Amino acid sequence: MQCIFNCSGQIKLLVALNGNDTNSGTITQPFQSPAAAIAKAITLTGKDVVIEIRKGVYHLDKTIGITAASYQAHSLTIRGYKNEKVIISGAQKITPKWQPYKNGILQSHIVLNEKPDRLLMNGINLPMARYPNFDSTARVFNGTAADVISDEIVRNWQHPQGGFIHALHDGEWGDFHYLITGKTNDGKLSYEGGWQNNRPAPMHPQYRFVENIVEELDAPGEWWYDNNAQILYCYPPRGAVVEKAQFEVSHLTDLLHIIGDAHQPVKNISIQNMTFTGTSRSFMLTKEPLLRSDWTIYRGGAILLDGTENIRVTNCSFSSLGGNAILLSNYNKSDSILHNEINDIGASAVAFVGNPAAVRSPAFRYELSVPWKEMDYTPGPKTNDYPQHCLVQDNLIHHIGTIEKQVAGIEIDMSAWITVSHNTIYNTPRSGINIGDGCWGGHIIEFNDVFNTVLETGDHGAFNSWGRDRFWSPDRSVIDSIVAAKPGIELLDVIAPNILRNNRFQCDHGWDIDLDDGSSNYLIYNNICLNGGLKLREGYHRTVTNNIIINNTFHPHVWLKNSGDIFEHNIVSTPYAPILMNSWGKVINNNFFLTKDGLEKAQQLGLDKNSITGDVQFVDAAAGNYTIKAGSPALKTGFKNVDGNAGVISPALKRKAASPAIKPLFTDIASGKVSTIEWLGARFKNIETLGERSAAGMHDNHGAMLVELPEKALATKSNLQKGDVIIQLDNTPLKAISDLLQTYQNIKWMGSAECIIIRNQAEKKITIYFK
């Protein structure tokens, strides 16, 4: 058997459910628990140890720990035996003896050492008793209501302590969570929490729900545990045969800790071919603020790496987790996360988070900045206590952030030289990939396929970054003055450029690429933006070249003086969408516009002197192939074809991975090649016949007519009706469906807009909601 590390006498240990932890670990005398095998393996000084685990579910009593003080082996491989399915679970089995309670609810006396956080039935998480009830079709939190903590609702709860309030941030910039501690003497709800977001704000007035309150146990699938009486109540899911079902309750937030430090790291451990599942939710532990980011973090997860080198997590599955899957905290070097599937988890999939003590002149809140006289002007980190030179490659990440919303498929904070390559990431409540600060750059984000992002929040991107580094201030005039006085200060933290290349990004409720709040020192090239466009806000030294922006545009927001920014050799669909722009950087030129209108408006701004427009000649835009043909005029701008081989590469993961929906080009819609469009889940078309015009009571053929309205389309939220004709959106008159989509692309980040429709042959003003 080949050893992945430098073998110096390999030893094998076996684990099987029918084993015994007093055994020696041989094939005939296996250990019963992974913990016992690991405890033995790490004492084998200088040896290369392989632990093989036979099939089955291994329920952990406590988190398994490997520390630098105890780790004596040269290398350790922990893996499933051959192709057998091995499950490491943070839940414990229970065997309820169900008895009728009332109203279809069952009860069982179950003695538990702690109040359970999650109840799993046949491996599927059941919702706690909640209001409003769980709705799989609801966009946010699977159902929300404005009145969840109103006096009218609260007076129905006798003893709500132990319940939870969950809400989006008022600006939809993440989420808040609170533990209900009881009721005050005047009947008001008392609670604590709200530390999950580093941008203080009220709870969102609409997007909130409560759970773990017995009076709300009123829908199939819900449950509640009475900790005092030790009784579990369950309203069985429809059609469930509870007598034959297997039940588990979670009790661990973390499954495996590998912990050393920068001076004595734990090295050479490989974790392979296993499934990690069944952990408790960690939202009340998410409280450590990150540098001026909107984030707070819980430094834990199914696997926690802290003070390690050359650790590999490969070919594993992470599912049905309450919190993070893999978190690399503080010093970690040359670690690799490869070929894994991560789905159905409560928080982030993979997160790199360094030690704030490694940061020079740190600040922790958006509105705070470091005074000039107190600032450390030394470039780079103070110590090496941060993740560095690590690799996240070929991972399938989807359906994350099921409870926490300030999450990412891959999160990078206070780290350097992290490579994120060939991952497929989709169905996320916020970003797919997020870089939280400029410490310390050198990241390579390449060949990732990221889509269906920012599904439950707003004002964000499929790729998002912040650059609220020591030079940055919310007051742009302060930034201009300090950078003029101290040239180079903008690069003290981001000492190496971040590279975004050959990715495919798509975002319906924000930007495909969103460089926000001072993000600096980026090279962005060869990316395909499918829907949300590309935004640069503030910041310095961003070079954006050879990207394709489909059905959207370039969004320059409030650039700083002498930013040095370059936007060149890109293919752009619609007119630029600038906001508060007084300074236009170094170069904006030699771009190709799909529409004459886009080019003309750019040149009216004094930009794009040598840019051109025309028929771009994509090979097959309808199928998402944006290769341009040899005769395309876009080649005259210096544009070169992009390698579109984004996403996972292992055959098994490719078979499982979804793909983004490819929408028709605006130019094809405007030319009549496409006659109908989907918008907000409904179908719209141009008014083409005299009969259509007469039926609507129109004086001309202008507008977009709603012709198909599925029952659960988002358009129903705005009370649109079949036959309505939208003639104006956000003060922009609409001649055709192409105008509807183009206007929407420029304003969708607003969340809603005023609209004029024709209904029953009369004009009517309504508000259209985009999410």
Side-chain angles (χ1 to χ4, degrees):
M1 181 179 296
Q2 185 179 5
C3 183
I4 63 169
F5 301 107
N6 180 27
C7 295
S8 55
Q10 188 183 88
I11 296 175
K12 276 192 184 180
L13 300 175
L14 197 74
V15 178
L17 287 174
N18 62 357
N20 191 302
D21 284 348
T22 62
N23 285 344
S24 58
T26 64
I27 194 166
T28 57
Q29 291 190 323
F31 292 111
Q32 187 180 50
S33 70
I38 290 170
K40 173 66 175 179
I42 60 179
T43 66
L44 299 175
T45 304
K47 300 298 183 180
D48 294 291
V49 187
V50 176
I51 296 174
E52 294 189 319
I53 305 175
R54 300 300 304 268
K55 65 181 179 181
V57 181
Y58 294 81
H59 298 274
L60 302 186
D61 295 326
K62 61 180 181 179
T63 303
I64 298 173
I66 300 173
T67 66
S70 62
Y71 183 70
Q72 303 300 318
H74 174 262
S75 73
L76 173 61
T77 298
I78 309 168
R79 67 189 181 204
Y81 179 80
K82 296 185 177 178
N83 293 320
E84 295 183 358
K85 187 171 184 178
V86 174
I87 299 173
I88 309 297
S89 176
Q92 62 183 96
K93 292 190 292 185
I94 60 173
T95 54
K97 295 181 180 178
W98 297 113
Q99 301 292 327
Y101 174 55
K102 64 179 181 180
N103 301 328
I105 299 169
L106 303 179
Q107 64 178 348
S108 177
H109 183 257
I110 297 286
V111 177
L112 298 173
N113 294 327
E114 55 191 341
K115 194 168 186 175
D117 177 68
R118 299 171 70 215
L119 176 67
L120 304 171
M121 176 179 169
N122 296 330
I124 298 174
N125 182 58
L126 300 181
M128 282 180 169
R130 55 170 282 166
Y131 173 73
N133 291 331
F134 186 93
D135 178 1
S136 62
T137 67
R139 185 180 71 87
V140 179
F141 284 129
N142 295 118
T144 58
D147 64 348
V148 296
I149 55 174
S150 66
D151 291 346
E152 182 179 359
I153 295 294
V154 169
R155 72 168 59 102
N156 296 322
W157 305 337
Q158 280 194 315
H159 302 289
Q161 55 268 29
F164 298 108
I165 307 166
H166 307 275
L168 286 191
H169 185 284
D170 187 47
E172 299 186 18
W173 298 336
D175 54 325
F176 296 115
H177 307 269
Y178 302 84
L179 173 66
I180 298 172
T181 56
K183 287 171 119 177
T184 62
N185 292 334
D186 58 357
K188 301 291 185 182
L189 206 61
S190 60
Y191 48 88
E192 62 183 18
W195 44 64
Q196 296 84 3
N197 198 295
N198 201 27
R199 293 282 293 274
M203 287 186 269
H204 194 283
Q206 171 65 37
Y207 296 129
R208 46 175 81 174
F209 79 100
V210 292
E211 65 172 353
N212 203 32
I213 295 173
V214 64
E215 287 85 358
E216 302 303 335
L217 182 58
D218 59 1
E222 292 185 345
W223 66 276
W224 184 76
Y225 183 73
D226 186 333
N227 205 46
N228 294 323
Q230 296 185 315
I231 296 175
L232 176 64
Y233 297 91
C234 181
Y235 195 145
R238 289 188 178 92
V241 182
V242 294
E243 294 79 12
K244 296 183 179 180
Q246 295 182 347
F247 288 90
E248 301 166 283
V249 291
S250 64
H251 71 119
L252 297 177
T253 56
D254 297 33
L255 302 178
L256 175 63
H257 286 179
I258 302 176
I259 299 179
D261 57 42
H263 304 290
Q264 189 180 359
V266 178
K267 301 180 179 181
N268 303 338
I269 295 180
S270 179
I271 302 162
Q272 306 172 7
N273 304 318
M274 294 186 288
T275 294
F276 295 87
T277 189
T279 57
S280 296
R281 299 175 300 176
S282 56
F283 58 86
M284 289 305 292
L285 301 174
T286 302
K287 56 175 64 176
E288 178 191 341
L290 298 182
L291 297 181
R292 303 179 88 182
S293 164
D294 295 1
W295 284 55
T296 61
I297 198 76
Y298 166 59
R299 291 182 186 258
I303 295 179
L304 171 66
L305 306 180
D306 189 337
T308 71
E309 292 181 3
N310 197 26
I311 307 297
R312 303 181 191 181
V313 181
T314 63
N315 294 294
C316 289
S317 173
F318 297 81
S319 64
S320 192
L321 299 174
N324 301 314
I326 305 169
L327 193 133
L328 295 90
S329 174
N330 301 318
Y331 176 80
N332 293 279
K333 186 175 183 180
S334 301
D335 292 347
S336 300
I337 314 298
L338 308 169
H339 322 305
N340 305 285
E341 181 175 7
I342 305 173
N343 71 292
D344 184 23
I345 64 172
S348 294
V350 181
F352 298 87
V353 185
N355 190 334
V359 181
R360 298 182 187 275
S361 300
F364 292 91
R365 287 276 290 274
Y366 172 90
E367 69 276 13
L368 300 178
S369 55
V370 181
W372 289 21
K373 294 181 180 179
E374 300 174 15
M375 190 178 295
D376 184 341
Y377 288 96
T378 307
K382 187 184 297 185
T383 73
N384 69 340
D385 200 11
Y386 56 89
Q388 53 198 272
H389 299 288
C390 294
L391 174 64
V392 187
Q393 186 175 64
D394 189 35
N395 298 280
L396 176 56
I397 298 170
H398 58 100
H399 295 87
I400 68 169
T402 58
I403 186 65
E404 299 180 52
K405 304 307 173 186
Q406 192 68 268
V407 300
I410 299 169
E411 170 68 8
I412 301 172
D413 274 273
M414 296 175 284
S415 303
W417 300 288
I418 307 298
T419 297
V420 179
S421 179
H422 278 292
N423 303 283
T424 296
I425 306 172
Y426 56 91
N427 287 12
T428 71
R430 206 138 173 78
S431 66
I433 301 172
N434 187 74
I435 297 178
D437 51 50
C439 307
W440 286 272
H443 310 309
I444 298 176
I445 314 297
E446 62 178 5
F447 294 103
N448 300 286
D449 197 11
V450 185
F451 56 96
N452 290 359
T453 57
V454 196
L455 294 179
E456 299 183 58
T457 58
D459 192 13
H460 212 52
F463 171 86
N464 184 82
S465 67
W466 291 296
R468 302 164 186 164
D469 303 337
R470 60 185 118 163
F471 80 90
W472 187 84
S473 167
D475 185 340
R476 290 186 294 280
S477 63
V478 171
I479 304 177
D480 284 336
S481 63
I482 190 173
V483 173
K486 301 277 187 179
I489 192 175
E490 73 276 14
L491 298 178
L492 292 181
D493 290 310
V494 59
I495 57 177
N498 292 317
I499 297 174
L500 270 67
R501 63 188 180 198
N502 298 99
N503 302 283
R504 183 168 67 170
F505 292 117
Q506 177 266 337
C507 181
D508 283 329
H509 301 110
W511 295 272
D512 295 339
I513 297 176
D514 182 3
L515 268 63
D516 207 2
D517 290 348
S519 298
S520 298
N521 204 3
Y522 275 79
L523 302 176
I524 303 174
Y525 58 92
N526 295 358
N527 300 284
I528 299 173
C529 297
L530 287 178
N531 186 67
L534 187 152
K535 169 189 158 191
L536 301 183
R537 180 182 175 93
E538 302 166 348
Y540 295 88
H541 313 299
R542 285 83 59 95
T543 299
V544 181
T545 59
N546 216 75
N547 302 281
I548 301 173
I549 303 177
I550 298 297
N551 290 352
N552 210 301
T553 191
F554 179 39
H555 297 256
H557 290 190
V558 290
W559 285 8
L560 301 164
K561 293 179 181 178
N562 303 313
S563 68
D565 290 333
I566 296 171
F567 186 81
E568 197 169 25
H569 312 304
N570 302 285
I571 294 176
V572 181
S573 295
T574 60
Y576 296 157
I579 293 180
L580 298 176
M581 288 291 292
N582 297 316
S583 303
W584 284 93
K586 186 176 181 180
V587 177
I588 300 180
N589 201 6
N590 299 307
N591 298 295
F592 186 87
F593 288 82
L594 298 190
T595 64
K596 183 179 179 181
D597 182 48
L599 176 60
E600 288 178 348
K601 288 182 176 177
Q603 291 181 338
Q604 289 169 9
L605 292 168
L607 311 170
D608 286 285
K609 178 181 179 181
N610 301 316
S611 298
I612 60 175
T613 186
D615 180 4
V616 70
Q617 299 179 37
F618 288 130
V619 168
D620 190 357
N625 183 348
Y626 301 111
T627 303
I628 60 175
K629 298 176 182 177
S632 170
L635 296 170
K636 297 177 183 178
T637 67
F639 179 86
K640 297 179 181 179
N641 271 319
V642 170
D643 184 346
N645 185 29
V648 290
I649 50 181
S650 5
L653 294 179
K654 287 185 77 169
R655 285 193 295 270
K656 292 182 176 181
S659 297
I662 302 299
K663 298 179 180 179
L665 293 177
F666 284 3
T667 50
D668 288 344
I669 297 170
S671 68
K673 290 181 181 179
V674 177
S675 60
T676 67
I677 60 164
E678 179 182 328
W679 186 60
L680 305 184
R683 299 296 298 179
F684 291 81
K685 70 180 296 291
N686 293 326
I687 297 175
E688 300 172 293
T689 69
L690 183 60
E692 289 173 338
R693 195 169 99 182
S694 176
M698 303 286 294
H699 300 297
D700 51 37
N701 286 4
H702 292 178
M705 176 179 283
L706 198 164
V707 292
E708 293 181 20
L709 185 61
E711 182 181 349
K712 294 185 178 180
L714 181 57
T716 61
K717 181 179 179 180
S718 306
N719 296 315
L720 284 168
Q721 298 177 12
K722 187 175 178 180
D724 288 347
V725 179
I726 302 177
I727 62 171
Q728 182 172 299
L729 180 63
D730 191 45
N731 297 317
T732 302
L734 307 180
K735 292 183 178 180
I737 53 177
S738 56
D739 297 329
L740 171 65
L741 289 184
Q742 185 166 324
T743 302
Y744 169 66
Q745 290 288 49
N746 292 333
I747 65 170
K748 62 184 180 180
W749 60 273
M750 295 165 50
S752 65
E754 294 303 306
C755 175
I756 297 178
I757 65 172
I758 302 294
R759 176 183 296 167
N760 297 327
Q761 304 192 12
E763 285 192 7
K764 181 180 178 66
K765 284 188 177 182
I766 65 171
T767 300
I768 296 286
Y769 298 95
F770 304 151
K771 54 189 177 181

